[in-house]
Amino acid sequence: MKIRFCEAERRVFARREKLTVSQWAGKYLIVQDGIYRGSPLRLDVSPFLRGPMDAYSRPGVREVVVCGSLQVGKTLLLYACLGWSMDYRPGIKMLAMPTRESRDRVVEKKLRPMLQGSPVLRRMVAKYRRENILLKDGTSIELATAESPSQRASITVQDLFVDEEDLYSRSGDSSPLEDFKGRTRSYGDFAKIIRACQPKGDESSSIWTGITRQVDQLMCYEVVCPACRHQHLMDVDRIVVPDGEADPRLIRSRKLARYRCPHCQYLWSDHARDLAVASGRWRPYVWTGAAFEPGPDISDARSIGFHLPAVLSRFVSLSDLAARRILAGSDDPAQQRQYHNDDLGMPWSPVELQTDVDRLLELRDPHLPPRTVPHGAVALTCGIDVQKRGFWYLVRAWMPTMASYVIDYGYLGSWDDVQALVFDTYYPVQGPDGSDVGERMPIWRACIDSGGTETEGVYTRTEEVYMWVRANGCGVVHACKGASRPQAAPVRWVVRERMPH
Ligand SMILES: [Zn+2]
């Protein structure tokens, strides 16, 4: 028997071309705003978006987490994955947003124009509603907000798209993000999740925790110097203003800033930076707690994180970054947070927090009595700060690991008191179980500040310190002063035969 198919039937049965998200978006997604409005998406403008996009369409990848600055294309990325998913993965989808207000705005200004602007996607939509978009295949895109938990609890979804999770407010024990992710559980390994957000605030930021601690693999984008082809991770500290201009306004308006290649020292303009980004690539990294460092390549990673700082974006000039770095150098915490969150795509903790009284008190060892050496300490050191009258001092016990405990501090009135503290004081040492075993430990080395403070006597305080150390130091007490410039070694030793000047 011979069956003849009509043209439409043949189209339905035809083997579909399998495209990755970036290939699909370059063909079917029409840009809705900015200077490229109305043309198909051009990923040569933001080549780094290919990495997260194609990770999303890779079989076996269940979750993609993107932590990035403003203006790097996070929304575009999210919608490209949503469009691809509509085309290739029939099933209920959920787009999660912080508030009803943000949802209504985003749907009206971004999502709806994108769906209507793409012929492939336009054909799939049956009806737009406030809380969901019905699709002709009988499924839907649920438009959820972190404000309405009841809506979150009632729907099972296959593909989850999480927008701006750092703006989700938590109520009590429930985390909206975890609730949303829980909706995909019944799809198991078949579900896909993508999260894209700019970090807000400090290290507890949800998206920052996502890329640094929750994913199997973290990726950072390395660029290639157009002059010497050296490949490296960009470091904003290498942005320089060659003629030393310090006025942020002039730096910005005259586009004065350059990026110095760490290998050949060539100064990149914004255009050279764009070229460097164009030939760049994603590489496996890890976050050490202080910096991104190259890490192992985990080929079967099921969750992948991507870090996208503004320095990669051609919509952000090096001069804008240099200007904002200068503003962030001021004491204004708002400027500092903005620079870290918006431009570096990093969390930011205000420095005040680190000297916060409660946090200092948390560092106390409740089992160590005052003026007692902890078990296992190998040496005691003492620092003495010279005042106009008297001295402040602090005694530290050192462990073999270089960890240290402050065991004593206070004020001394005279040189005789200094003498007694350094040479005649023996601190009790704790036994292994915290008891006093009768062992005593003296101060091993002390430093006394010789930086000039005025005095009421005949000699300056500096002269007094030198004379006292010469007569009484015995190789235990050393005169010292701070350096005004960074030193190669933490401490440098010089012999003073006589008073300078
Ligand atoms: Zn170079």
Side-chain angles (χ1 to χ4, degrees):
M1 191 173 76
K2 200 170 173 188
I3 300 173
R4 295 187 69 86
F5 291 112
C6 71
E7 182 58 37
E9 286 165 333
R10 258 185 252 140
R11 208 166 45 232
V12 169
F13 291 133
R15 185 192 293 267
R16 289 221 42 205
E17 188 187 10
K18 191 75 184 170
L19 301 173
T20 65
V21 173
S22 70
Q23 291 165 336
W24 181 91
K27 227 170 158 173
Y28 298 118
L29 206 63
I30 310 296
V31 179
Q32 296 305 320
D33 50 16
I35 52 173
Y36 298 102
R37 188 187 167 155
S39 56
L41 179 65
R42 287 178 43 193
L43 279 174
D44 51 338
V45 176
S46 328
F48 42 79
L49 291 182
R50 277 195 196 98
M53 281 183 181
D54 293 349
Y56 182 78
S57 48
R58 201 182 308 151
V61 171
R62 192 173 186 274
E63 184 170 358
V64 171
V65 186
V66 180
C67 172
S69 304
L70 289 174
Q71 293 183 292
V72 291
K74 294 185 302 294
T75 308
L76 186 62
L77 164 70
L78 209 59
Y79 289 173
C81 292
L82 175 63
W84 177 89
S85 159
M86 288 169 69
D87 203 6
Y88 282 102
R89 288 171 57 86
I92 296 185
K93 305 175 199 315
M94 180 179 272
L95 177 58
M97 284 159 288
T99 59
R100 284 181 202 93
E101 195 196 344
S102 60
R103 173 192 66 193
D104 295 348
R105 191 181 60 236
V106 160
V107 169
E108 211 41 52
K109 291 253 162 34
K110 302 235 166 175
L111 184 59
R112 197 169 169 153
M114 180 201 82
L115 294 175
Q116 288 176 336
S118 158
V120 174
L121 301 178
R122 189 169 55 220
R123 279 203 299 269
M124 301 175 74
V125 176
K127 193 172 187 185
Y128 290 94
R129 296 202 300 202
R130 196 182 174 88
E131 310 231 307
N132 55 21
I133 297 169
L134 299 180
L135 303 179
K136 286 183 181 157
D137 64 4
T139 65
S140 61
I141 303 170
E142 297 299 317
L143 306 170
T145 74
E147 289 174 325
S148 41
S150 55
Q151 187 197 8
R152 300 203 300 267
S154 59
I155 301 163
T156 293
V157 297
Q158 169 191 286
D159 294 329
L160 175 63
F161 302 84
V162 184
D163 198 6
E164 296 291 356
E165 64 186 67
D166 267 18
L167 296 177
Y168 296 180
S169 48
R170 301 171 65 107
S171 53
D173 289 341
S174 87
S175 144
L177 176 66
E178 288 311 313
D179 287 356
F180 286 134
K181 287 174 76 169
R183 297 297 97 217
T184 66
R185 207 162 288 138
S186 51
Y187 282 89
D189 283 350
F190 188 69
K192 275 188 191 282
I193 299 170
I194 180 164
R195 299 156 54 187
C197 187
Q198 181 202 346
K200 293 263 191 277
D202 64 16
E203 253 134 54
S204 63
S205 149
S206 163
I207 197 77
W208 176 255
T209 313
I211 64 160
T212 54
R213 297 220 292 270
Q214 293 168 350
V215 292
D216 298 338
Q217 173 92 77
L218 169 64
M219 305 292 278
C220 289
Y221 195 81
E222 291 185 351
V223 300
V224 176
C225 175
C228 72
R229 309 306 296 168
H230 174 67
Q231 183 172 324
H232 67 282
L233 189 65
M234 282 187 92
D235 173 2
V236 284
D237 288 343
R238 304 200 67 86
I239 298 177
V240 295
V241 182
D243 66 358
E245 179 58 61
D247 179 347
R249 229 163 11 93
L250 286 179
I251 292 173
R252 205 174 260 152
S253 62
R254 297 188 189 158
K255 294 253 182 285
L256 296 176
R258 297 288 181 271
Y259 180 89
R260 192 189 296 278
C261 168
H263 191 247
C264 71
Q265 314 301 319
Y266 174 63
L267 294 174
W268 305 357
S269 61
D270 286 340
H271 177 65
R273 185 270 316 263
D274 296 344
L275 293 176
V277 172
S279 27
R281 56 184 295 206
W282 289 99
R283 304 273 301 158
Y285 270 75
V286 289
W287 173 252
T288 62
F292 290 112
E293 298 280 354
D297 188 358
I298 299 156
S299 56
D300 58 350
R302 296 176 63 241
S303 54
I304 307 178
F306 293 87
H307 185 244
L308 269 177
V311 70
L312 297 172
S313 169
R314 74 165 59 202
F315 303 112
V316 179
S317 165
L318 295 170
S319 300
D320 290 340
L321 289 171
R324 287 203 285 267
R325 184 175 61 195
I326 290 173
L327 293 173
S330 70
D331 287 336
D332 181 357
Q335 296 271 14
Q336 292 173 0
R337 190 179 56 238
Q338 199 180 351
Y339 177 64
H340 280 81
N341 288 171
D342 295 0
D343 293 323
L344 305 186
M346 308 269 284
W348 184 75
S349 320
V351 178
E352 297 96 276
L353 271 182
Q354 287 159 9
T355 57
D356 183 74
V357 173
D358 293 334
R359 281 174 57 159
L360 271 180
L361 288 176
E362 268 174 34
L363 294 172
R364 279 188 309 178
D365 180 352
H367 306 296
L368 187 65
R371 310 189 82 236
T372 304
V373 181
H375 177 70
V378 292
L380 302 183
T381 60
C382 176
I384 302 166
D385 188 33
V386 181
Q387 302 293 304
K388 193 169 172 181
R389 284 193 207 99
F391 310 82
W392 289 106
Y393 75 95
L394 182 141
V395 180
R396 224 170 241 282
W398 292 87
M399 310 305 276
T401 57
M402 296 300 278
S404 67
Y405 294 74
V406 174
I407 62 161
D408 189 15
Y409 61 91
Y411 182 82
L412 302 169
S414 68
W415 283 108
D416 287 343
D417 296 339
V418 173
Q419 175 90 27
L421 170 74
V422 177
F423 295 102
D424 304 325
T425 310
Y426 289 81
Y427 293 92
V429 182
Q430 262 187 338
D433 56 355
S435 62
D436 186 349
V437 289
E439 219 184 308
R440 298 286 179 270
M441 195 184 270
I443 287 168
W444 173 65
R445 290 289 185 275
C447 276
I448 184 162
D449 171 31
S450 66
T453 307
E454 276 182 68
T455 178
E456 290 162 340
V458 181
Y459 296 107
T460 65
R461 273 305 223 183
T462 303
E463 286 167 301
E464 259 187 72
V465 169
Y466 281 174
M467 285 190 298
W468 187 86
V469 167
R470 190 167 293 142
N472 306 293
C474 303
V476 172
V477 189
H478 301 267
C480 70
K481 67 195 212 62
S484 54
R485 267 168 293 185
Q487 307 284 305
V491 180
R492 201 160 53 94
W493 175 282
V494 282
V495 175
R496 282 255 181 271
E497 290 297 340
R498 67 179 89 142
M499 267 302 287
H501 317 301

